[in-house]
Structure formats: structure tokens, C-alpha cells
């Protein structure tokens, strides 16, 4: 059953909220102009992944011979880093960049009449 999380504007400002729906925890994120929601259970060993740090994805800058010049931050992609062992997931897609089949479990989130509704 969907749960009302309140005004979208408040969650947009906060950027992230972790809520409990019964015995299921879900992290709701406002990123790249939209809401996404993931179960707060890392697919590695069950850590509270939605409470991890959010960072721009690190990319390697290569020269013409594909030799490493330096590291930089991706201009758009943001990863969430699980606080238990550091596995990273794209906060928008839920996929781990090194292994896209390794991914977070989505929850359903939508905005109706300015209110955020969440369901698992
Ligand atoms: S439980 Fe998330 S990285 Fe291990």
C-alpha cells in the first residue's frame, strides 16, 4: 500500500530520506531532477547502502595511447557508496558501475499533486 511522504518540495530540498515501511527500509533520493527509491539493503552483504555517501563517479582520464593521465569526476553521474564495504552504485540506475548486473532493489516512488508516494 502506498505511503505519503509529504510535499515533493521538502524532499527535493533534503535530497534524500530513509524511511521504514513496516519491516522494509527504503531510501528516497531526489537526483538529476527526479525521484528514485531503493531498498536500504546492499546486495553485497545487506548493509544500509542508502545511508552511504554520495559522490560524483571517479573517471580515469587517458591520453591518445590510453595511458592514465589523472583521475577526474564525472560531470553527471553520482554514486552512492555503501558504508559497510564501499561498493558503489549509481544512484540514478541502482547499478554498480564495475558490474551492472549487481544492482540495488528498486521501490516505486511517484509524485501526485505535489506529494511524494512510496510503495515497495
Ligand atoms: S554490504 Fe554493502 S558493500 Fe558490503
Amino acid at each position: 500500500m502506498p505511503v505519503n511522504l509529504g510535499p515533493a518540495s521538502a524532499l527535493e530540498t533534503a535530497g534524500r530520506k530513509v524511511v521504514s515501511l513496516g519491516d522494509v527500509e527504503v531510501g528516497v533520493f531526489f537526483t538529476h531532477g527526479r525521484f528514485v527509491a531503493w531498498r536500504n539493503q546492499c546486495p553485497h552483504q545487506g548493509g544500509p547502502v542508502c545511508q552511504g555517501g554520495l559522490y560524483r563517479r571517479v573517471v580515469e582520464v587517458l591520453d591518445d595511447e590510453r595511458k592514465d593521465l589523472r583521475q577526474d569526476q564525472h560531470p553527471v553521474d553520482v554514486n552512492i557508496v555503501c558504508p559497510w564495504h564501499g561498493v558503489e552504485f549509481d544512484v540514478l540506475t541502482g547499478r554498480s558501475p564495475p558490474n551492472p548486473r549487481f544492482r540495488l532493489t528498486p521501490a516505486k516512488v511517484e509524485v501526485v499533486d505535489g506529494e511524494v508516494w512510496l510503495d515497495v
Side-chain angles (χ1 to χ4, degrees):
M1 170 178 280
V3 173
N4 185 335
L5 299 182
S9 57
L11 272 172
E12 289 174 9
T13 300
R16 167 180 19 194
K17 184 173 188 172
V18 177
V19 298
S20 295
L21 300 180
D23 58 354
V24 176
E25 284 192 348
V26 177
V28 179
F29 298 86
F30 184 75
T31 183
H32 301 77
R34 66 185 180 104
F35 286 96
V36 293
W38 309 108
R39 290 203 183 198
N40 191 22
Q41 186 172 35
C42 180
H44 178 229
Q45 291 184 357
V49 62
C50 294
Q51 293 160 256
L54 290 163
Y55 303 95
R56 289 277 170 104
R57 182 165 62 85
V58 174
V59 294
E60 299 289 332
V61 179
L62 306 176
D63 68 12
D64 292 342
E65 297 176 350
R66 301 198 51 79
K67 291 182 181 166
D68 188 29
L69 293 176
R70 66 180 189 283
Q71 290 186 336
D72 208 343
Q73 294 182 332
H74 192 277
V76 177
D77 293 354
V78 175
N79 286 352
I80 187 164
V81 183
C82 181
W84 278 13
H85 311 102
V87 174
E88 297 185 22
F89 301 89
D90 185 308
V91 72
L92 196 57
T93 67
R95 297 180 189 277
S96 180
N99 181 1
R101 294 191 328 193
F102 198 52
R103 61 181 306 194
L104 303 176
T105 302
K108 184 178 177 190
V109 62
E110 63 181 342
V111 177
V112 178
D113 295 331
E115 302 279 310
V116 178
W117 290 86
L118 178 66
D119 201 359
V120 291

